[in-house]
């Protein structure tokens, strides 16, 4: 049986919390659980009216995870992973949210979570060695340590298009989907954007709408999910394999037990290479991007996979001209995140679906009745913005976040994220990032990554306490060295060969810089372990109060 912690009296107003966590998604809830387990007084602040983070807000039709359900789940409690039964290989948003809510209830996490609470300010008080937070309701909260579990994909990007306010129909954004599902039957629907949320929602919307117009600026590569229900036999196999599966995942590059083909693409004979690509394709989803061990680092290897994927896309789309527009140009496979779909390309074979290529006919304005482009007009009843996020740094820049000397995070990061291990920012003592810039983050299984990264953070806090230190701060030179390493690792990959949200290219005025560590989760954890073994080298642990 899993034991529950007994209720504790709430601190008096003005009391200082050991740890305040911002965000109650997977990472934030784990931080609450682990902090409580360590005997820390913890409070989690969540802007939404429920837990779940991105899975609370992204309720659009077709929303599902591109990591297999059995991996995209907590590993900290064996009873939990043995008892929870995922119904599909790739879980949908409602099932993921139900899982998160179950975990919150099972471990009584909500008593340390305050919902509907948006943090407006977080200022470091150097004299008192604490963080002073203020909510948008004007409440003041004090914390010794501040954990930012604000999500990599949590701030929606809404393009500035002329006339949007003039449109008389319904306007929706996939990342701000209403709890009461809208109806599309008999309506003319337009979808702007063909990233992951657009690719997932388009097939479902096409089945419901009278007519669907898809406005595509940049095509993306997508691989069939090959989703299926998980049978009773699957459940027994999963339960038996979990310990070894988790062990392999922790040491892997992406946080899953996937193993690439043993030879580089160029070292394979054509028949062997073709067979490996077929296996990768039938594995389904983003794992196709990891068919060969050098697929992200060698453009020749990538070309083999890219050409294979394009052949598969053409086979799924009846009209060759439409297929041409759906195939990306000038970018390697995976430079933008590979999408995972259920019938996306086949949707364009339907009579009620139309593709508009915004490269040849850009949108000029919205009108009361729809959208005008440079070449045509489209009458619409509903417009869905599937235009993604201000990724990784967007949530932090929306908070008035200030470190020592009153320096704002926007100024500290004016040239792009500058961190040590993706965990701390120099000049922002006792503040910690989880799944943020400078770490593998969204390039790995974020649930496992969050567990392992926060365990490391908590161990460092415990070490500081044992030393009698109350302040932890990354050294600037350590952050310089780590950021240079992150840049160097990215420069050797295909990730920097295309504009993407990985680089902030989708947000006007944002520094163009690859924001994640591409060395892999296993290697990253090894580096963190070495830093800890060397007395948390690169961090300064001091007593200031």
């Amino acid at each position: 049986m899993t034991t529950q912690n007994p209720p504790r009296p709430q601190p008096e107003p003005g009391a200082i919390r050991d740890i305040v966590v911002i965000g109650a998604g997977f990472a934030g809830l784990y931080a609450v659980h682990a902090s409580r387990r360590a005997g820390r007084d913890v409070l989690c602040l969540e802007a939404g009216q429920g837990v779940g983070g991105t899975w609370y807000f992204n309720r659009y039709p077709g929303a599902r995870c591109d990591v297999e359900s059995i991996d995209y789940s907590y590993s900290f409690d064996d009873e939990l992973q043995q008892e929870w039964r995922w119904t599909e290989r790739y879980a949908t948003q409602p099932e993921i949210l139900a899982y998160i809510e179950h975990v919150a209830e099972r471990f009584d996490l909500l008593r340390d979570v305050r919902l509907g609470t948006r943090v407006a300010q977080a200022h470091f008080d150097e004299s008192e060695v604490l963080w002073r937070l203020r909510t948008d309701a004007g409440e003041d909260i004090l914390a010794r340590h501040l954990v930012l579990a604000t999500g990599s994909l949590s701030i929606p990007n809404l393009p500035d298009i002329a006339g949007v306010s003039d449109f008389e129909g319904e306007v929706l954004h996939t990342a701000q989907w209403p709890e009461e599902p809208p109806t599309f039957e008999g309506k003319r629907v337009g979808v702007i954007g063909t990233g992951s949320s657009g690719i997932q929602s388009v097939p479902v919307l096409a089945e419901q709408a009278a007519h669907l117009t898809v406005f595509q600026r940049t095509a993306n590569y997508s691989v069939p999910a090959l989703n299926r229900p998980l049978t009773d036999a699957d459940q027994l196999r999963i339960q038996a394999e979990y310990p070894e599966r988790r062990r392999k995942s922790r040491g892997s590059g992406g946080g899953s037990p996937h193993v690439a083909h043993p030879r580089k693409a160029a070292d394979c004979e054509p028949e062997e290479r073709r067979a490996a690509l077929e296996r990768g394709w039938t594995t389904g989803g983003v794992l196709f991007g990891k068919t060969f061990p050098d697929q992200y680092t060698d453009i020749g290897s990538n070309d083999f996979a890219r050409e294979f994927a394009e052949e598969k896309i053409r086979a799924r789309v009846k009209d060759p001209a439409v297929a041409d527009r759906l195939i990306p140009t000038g970018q390697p496979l995976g430079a933008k995140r590979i999408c995972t779909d259920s019938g996306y390309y086949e949707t364009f074979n339907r009579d009620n679906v139309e593709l508009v290529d915004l490269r040849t006919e850009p949108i000029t304005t919205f009108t009361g009745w729809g959208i005008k482009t440079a070449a045509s007009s489209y009458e619409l009843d509903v417009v869905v913005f599937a235009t993604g996020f201000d990724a990784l740094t967007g949530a932090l820049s929306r908070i008035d976040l200030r470190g020592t000397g009153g320096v704002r995070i926007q100024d500290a990061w004016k040239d792009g994220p500058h961190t040590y291990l993706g965990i701390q920012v120099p000049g922002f003592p006792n503040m910690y990032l989880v799944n943020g810039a400078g770490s593998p983050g969204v390039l790995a299984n974020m649930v496992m990554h969050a567990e392992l990264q926060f365990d490391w953070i908590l161990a460092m806090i415990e070490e500081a306490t044992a030393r009698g230190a109350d302040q932890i701060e990354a050294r600037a030179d350590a952050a310089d060295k780590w950021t240079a390493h992150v840049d160097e690792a990215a420069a050797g990959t295909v990730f920097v060969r295309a504009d993407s949200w990985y680089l902030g290219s989708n947000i006007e005025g944002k520094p163009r810089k690859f924001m994640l560590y591409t060395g892999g989760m296993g290697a990253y954890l090894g580096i963190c372990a070495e830093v800890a073994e060397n007395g948390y080298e690169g961090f300064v642990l001091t007593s200031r109060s």
Side-chain angles (χ1 to χ4, degrees), residues 237-309:
R237 174 182 55 78
I238 290 165
Q239 291 167 0
E241 293 176 354
Y242 247 139
E244 180 64 9
R245 187 179 187 96
R246 298 296 198 187
R247 186 192 67 77
K248 289 181 177 178
S249 296
R250 291 185 184 100
S252 71
S256 76
H258 172 74
V259 177
H261 190 70
R263 303 207 305 160
K264 296 179 179 181
D267 296 338
C268 299
E269 294 297 325
E271 297 79 8
E272 178 188 357
R273 187 164 53 239
R274 178 82 186 187
L277 288 167
E278 287 285 1
R279 282 194 302 273
W281 191 265
T282 55
T283 298
V286 296
L287 293 178
F288 175 73
K290 303 176 182 179
T291 299
F292 296 107
D294 59 343
Q295 199 163 309
Y296 281 97
T297 55
D298 182 86
I299 195 64
S301 175
N302 191 277
D303 282 343
F304 286 123
R306 177 184 56 76
E307 291 167 3
F308 180 89

Side-chain angles (χ1 to χ4, degrees), residues 11-148:
E12 294 295 324
I16 303 172
R17 300 276 189 165
D18 283 343
I19 296 173
V20 167
V21 180
I22 303 178
F26 272 108
L29 289 179
Y30 180 72
V32 170
H33 173 74
S35 298
R36 183 194 291 172
R37 186 176 55 196
R40 296 280 176 172
D41 174 35
V42 61
L43 174 66
C44 179
L45 306 174
E46 166 58 45
Q49 296 299 325
V51 298
T54 192
W55 298 109
Y56 176 82
F57 290 103
N58 285 259
R59 301 167 180 266
Y60 61 86
R64 71 173 70 240
C65 189
D66 61 2
V67 178
E68 290 185 80
S69 311
I70 58 176
D71 296 316
Y72 195 75
S73 56
Y74 288 119
S75 63
F76 69 84
D77 186 89
D78 187 58
E79 286 188 10
L80 171 66
Q81 67 183 10
Q82 291 292 332
E83 293 173 10
W84 181 266
R85 293 173 64 93
W86 293 102
T87 65
E88 295 180 272
R89 185 183 178 206
Y90 292 101
T92 60
Q93 177 271 336
E95 186 170 19
I96 296 171
L97 184 58
Y99 171 77
I100 298 172
E101 291 172 342
H102 168 76
V103 171
E105 181 179 354
R106 180 186 181 111
F107 296 95
D108 191 25
L109 302 181
L110 286 176
R111 65 185 167 94
D112 290 320
V113 176
R114 194 174 299 173
L115 300 173
T117 304
R118 185 176 297 278
V119 176
Q121 291 181 0
H123 295 178
F124 186 69
D125 184 327
E126 298 174 57
S127 62
E128 298 293 332
V129 194
L130 54 79
W131 281 93
R132 295 185 179 273
L133 285 72
R134 177 164 291 177
T135 71
D136 58 359
E139 180 186 5
D140 292 323
I141 297 169
L142 307 178
R144 293 295 183 198
H145 300 275
L146 177 63
V147 176
L148 299 175

Side-chain angles (χ1 to χ4, degrees), residues 169-440:
E170 189 172 11
V171 177
L172 302 167
H173 195 294
T174 50
Q176 296 173 321
W177 207 258
E179 288 192 50
E180 186 64 32
T183 59
F184 301 102
E185 287 74 10
K187 295 180 180 179
R188 299 161 299 179
V189 179
V191 174
I192 300 175
T194 52
S196 182
S197 54
I199 284 173
Q200 289 185 339
S201 61
V202 158
V204 182
L205 293 173
E207 293 177 353
Q208 299 175 7
H211 190 273
L212 179 66
T213 305
V214 180
F215 297 89
Q216 173 189 274
R217 183 182 65 176
T218 306
N220 279 283
Y221 289 106
S222 186
V223 178
L226 302 179
N227 194 36
R228 63 176 179 82
L230 295 177
T231 65
D232 289 343
D234 289 327
Q235 302 291 348
L236 292 173
R237 174 182 55 78
I238 290 165
Q239 291 167 0
E241 293 176 354
Y242 247 139
E244 180 64 9
R245 187 179 187 96
R246 298 296 198 187
R247 186 192 67 77
K248 289 181 177 178
S249 296
R250 291 185 184 100
S252 71
S256 76
H258 172 74
V259 177
H261 190 70
R263 303 207 305 160
K264 296 179 179 181
D267 296 338
C268 299
E269 294 297 325
E271 297 79 8
E272 178 188 357
R273 187 164 53 239
R274 178 82 186 187
L277 288 167
E278 287 285 1
R279 282 194 302 273
W281 191 265
T282 55
T283 298
V286 296
L287 293 178
F288 175 73
K290 303 176 182 179
T291 299
F292 296 107
D294 59 343
Q295 199 163 309
Y296 281 97
T297 55
D298 182 86
I299 195 64
S301 175
N302 191 277
D303 282 343
F304 286 123
R306 177 184 56 76
E307 291 167 3
F308 180 89
E310 291 172 2
E311 174 190 326
K312 291 292 188 180
I313 294 170
R314 293 187 190 282
R316 296 166 69 187
V317 182
K318 293 178 181 178
D319 186 334
V322 174
D324 283 343
R325 285 182 280 159
L326 288 168
I327 292 174
T329 58
Q331 60 174 274
L333 177 80
K336 291 181 171 228
R337 188 178 181 90
I338 295 175
C339 300
T340 300
D341 72 90
S342 299
Y344 174 68
Y345 293 109
E346 292 83 352
T347 298
F348 293 93
N349 298 328
R350 296 176 62 105
D351 292 335
N352 71 326
V353 176
E354 180 178 10
L355 177 65
V356 177
D357 188 347
L358 298 181
R359 294 171 300 179
T360 58
E361 53 170 304
I363 294 173
T364 56
T365 187
F366 274 72
T367 69
W369 43 261
I371 290 175
K372 283 185 178 181
T373 68
S376 190
S377 299
Y378 301 89
E379 295 186 6
L380 301 168
D381 302 302
V382 182
V383 172
V384 176
F385 282 95
T387 46
F389 303 88
D390 183 353
L392 292 161
T393 61
L396 276 62
S397 65
R398 282 2 180 240
I399 301 171
D400 178 11
L401 183 59
R402 299 173 186 253
T404 56
V407 174
R408 304 185 312 151
I409 191 69
Q410 295 95 324
D411 297 325
W413 284 3
K414 60 181 172 49
D415 297 321
H418 180 245
T419 77
Y420 181 41
L421 302 179
I423 288 175
Q424 270 206 329
V425 181
F428 291 76
N430 292 3
M431 185 186 85
Y432 314 91
L433 313 177
V434 182
N435 282 342
S439 74

Side-chain angles (χ1 to χ4, degrees), residues 143-163:
R144 293 295 183 198
H145 300 275
L146 177 63
V147 176
L148 299 175
T150 47
S152 301
L153 302 172
S154 57
I155 300 298
N157 173 38
L158 188 64
D160 184 14
I161 302 176

